[in-house]
Amino acid sequence: MKRNSKDADSSHRKLTRRSLLLGGAQLGFAGLLAMRMRYLQVDQADQFRLLAEENRVNIRLIAPNRGEIYDRHGVIIAQNSPSYRIVLVPEDAGDVEKVIANLTRLLPIDEEDLERARTEMRRSPPFLPITLADQISWKDISKVAVNAPALPGITPEVGLTRLYPQNADFAHVVGYVGPVSDYDLSKMEDPEPILRIPRFQIGKVGFEARQEEALRGKAGAKRVEVNAMGRVMRELDRQEGESGADMQLTLDAELQSYTQARLGTESAAAVVIDIEHGDVLAISSSPSYDPNLFVRGISVADYRALTSDPYRPLANKTVQGTYPPGSTFKMVTALAGLEHGVIGPEDTAYCPGHLEVAGRRFHCWKRGGHGHVNLEDSLKHSCDVYYYDLAIKVGIDRISDMANKLGLGIKHELPMSAVAAGLTPNRDWKARVHGQDWLVGDTVNASIGQGYMLASPLQLAVMTARIASGRSVTPRLVKSVDGVEEPSGAGETLAINPNNLRNLRKAMNAVSNDRRGTAYRSRIIAEGMRMAGKTGTSQVRNITAAERAAGVISNDDLPWERRDHALFVCFAPVENPKYAVSVVVEHGGGGSTAAAPIARDIILQALYRGTPPLDAYPSADRSKIEAQQERLERERLKRRESQGNDQA
Amino acid sequence: MSYLEYHAKSTPTGLRKILYLNWPLVLLLSAAVGVGLLMLYSVAGGSFSPWVEPQAKRFGMGLFVMLAIAMVPIWFWRNISVLAYFIALTLLVAVELFGAIGMGAQRWIDLGPLRLQPSELMKITLVMVLAAYYDWLPANKTSRPLFVLAPVLLILVPTFLVLKQPDLGTAILLLTAGGGVMFLAGVHWAYFAAVIGGGVGLVSAVFESRGTDWQLIKDYQFRRIDTFLDPSQDPLGAGYHITQSKIALGSGGWSGRGFMQGTQSRLNFLPEKHTDFIFTTLAEEFGFVGGVTLLSIYMLIIIFCISTAISTKDRFSSLVTLGIALNFFLFFSVNMSMVMGLAPVVGVPLPLVSYGGSAMLVLLAAFGVVQSANVHRPR
């Protein structure tokens, strides 16, 4: 027992020793753990705190409201209207396929859209809403709402989308918006993050595109706390964005709508300028299209119909179409002659029906000629030879300078798509572009707005406004931005002798008010409202000597695309010009028959701020005009009703 | 010492035994469990369900079991050690055959209200059987090869079974705790040196063989070892847990983000935040101070156990106390190393703090044995 106990003592000592050793090791390891904790939690705390924040906080952009667009009287042209879409939250739906089946019984959804939604569902966590159908009508939304018990997980969501309540009337001016495409992004150097918001709309064409930056506004942001699955737990804070600027255009919706209706189914363009401030009151290109189709996503068939139409509904003929101005250019040639003292208003030229220049015969439109003509006669009859002769004396460079002074050949920076500069040729230009010398025949052609000469309807209206006012009227389209008035386009007084302008205006007055004027049939007889103007008929083909010998083929016998363009420019009232109008009817035939009546009706509409009284028209036309007024009124009424339906 | 000897000296009897309990140890254990309940309340988003309530009930039950075991004389526990070991072994085999699958591994036996995890039981019974073995074995035979082989087998058989479940964490714990008891019992240094040396040699041989024509394991096994040792190689898979865990710890800073303010745990960035990774929530919400406090509680428990073990002359009591303390130490140090990115992720919960069925119950029962050793210490 004693030996045992001695043994026990020694083994107990050994155990104590070893247990202290092990205990020391354990303490040491605990110290190591504490040091590691200190390293992570004290030395590296800031870094890890940052990482934790990155984990938890997500920044979500809030799309700003796009600026709205109004006409000069506050009529809305482009607005943000609620748009409904149907979203599905898979985790709330339970049996997703059954819910989708129930839904498709209520409203048809493309199988393609459903397939896309299913793919998206597989990829995203079940609490994220998936869009099943977009741009749903209010009627369908109500159906879904009523059947909500049969559709778990389905909710109608409301967002904002662009709506153009005037439909086609402003399509060419305002353009349209659409969702950001990959192509849009690829064009941008450093796209704003906001553009990546699904369904975010940007301006694609027209005013919407040109004023994109101002209309878009600034994105807001909210900071949200998300969990590991990405589910939003709560909003931490939010910073509201800035809405885009509201824009008031100089356009008059009523006049614009009338103009559009008046152009009807022609391939034509018309521009109305308020001479006082250069305000563009109406600027219509026909035929037009419904921009809302593009916002909703146009169908292939609709798009093909638009692009294959020979009348080119998508083209904005007012600013991007350029035409030989034809006889409407004669004012420029005349003014250049007067200004440089080459002719006086009463100086005459003899028109035998043609002029031999450098061995080539240039014809007047009237085979028999006009005889002796002075300035007023030449414009009234639109005698060509008078201008051939005058132009040769003045020289192309001085004519070209005068054209520029009057606003031709100059790009007027309106915020619309593809504004064309037109072309006022001169010696320099021909040498530069064609590498050829300027020929006297070129001058002869240019004198009556043919040959190389090109102008857009907008430029023709500006030219007319400048002649009417003697100021360098500059067109403006934006009246005010967020209530702040834009600078006026009234312009400085032109460095042109007022007497010469007065004489020119007198001649233009004769065009529409002299019994023998080319536009006499389109005169206005109301006192104080009379109109002065100039017809133009520009050739789009050459008339050969053989054809001329056999008799020039009438426009009516030609295929549409080879007929002459019909033009008319005018201002009114003659005594105190307020409005300038230009009308171009593509391949419309003669300016006096195809363009002048349209311009007259439009300018009357502007002068009377509505439908003019019948006694403004010559008595012979009144019954015809009355019928036309009634027809247009009916058409516009019908259109307004269909717009009403669209919005409901 | 024999049964008679206990009688010869005065040991407390009857209700007086309660006075001889190591009360500071009871308080420390309760403190650790208290920390656990606090954290479970927090990770549940400020709610008693689903974790605090069952855990508190289990603690109540565990406390009762601990006291009951403490009242039973220590020699009883010594005498049933062998039986207990073989029962645990049988259960381990049973779990292998009929066990339910939980968390991707086969670990439980479903006994109706209680889900028994035999590997937990094995941790304690292994220590007990080894302590009883060395109590029986005369000291001079301790280092004889034959008498070394027997305990090695006692350790390896359950280790192998646990490894097959597979539960690498528990297997390491069993191996280390068993080896620890053998070391404490006085087995010669040379054996440990040989085992450690051999182990290091084998591992380095395996790694040396990589890429040579005598490669010992397959390529995919190597890759698995790589991500196991360095989870950052796989940041969205195995590395995700440990990265998020380190972020949670680190963002806690000196004094933490405040009770229930830990974003990492509240927003579910932390995996298994109520079980194996509960320490990260503590460290995130109470910072370095909170973490060190829990570590101190744990170390005090260890120190109390060691001092009890040294002050008793009974060999079984000493060994069983030290073994259980070692077990406990391994438990929390492996868990903490794991969440701090010092060790690979193996499924080891934080003792007394993690939410868990049998783990806490078994642990408290083990401390019951420690208490019994203390109460029935000859004075």
Side-chain angles (χ1 to χ4, degrees), chain B residues 354-373:
Chain B
S354 286
Y355 180 81
S358 45
M360 185 165 71
L361 210 59
V362 171
L363 207 55
L364 287 173
F367 278 105
V369 177
V370 170
Q371 292 285 17
S372 170

Side-chain angles (χ1 to χ4, degrees), chain A residues 12 18 36 49 55 228, chain B residues 183 187 244 251 264 267 340:
Chain A
H12 186 252
R18 288 204 170 178
R36 173 71 173 175
R49 179 68 63 93
N55 262 348
Chain B
F183 173 75
V187 174
Q244 294 301 343
S251 68
Q264 285 288 103
L267 299 172
M340 288 183 212

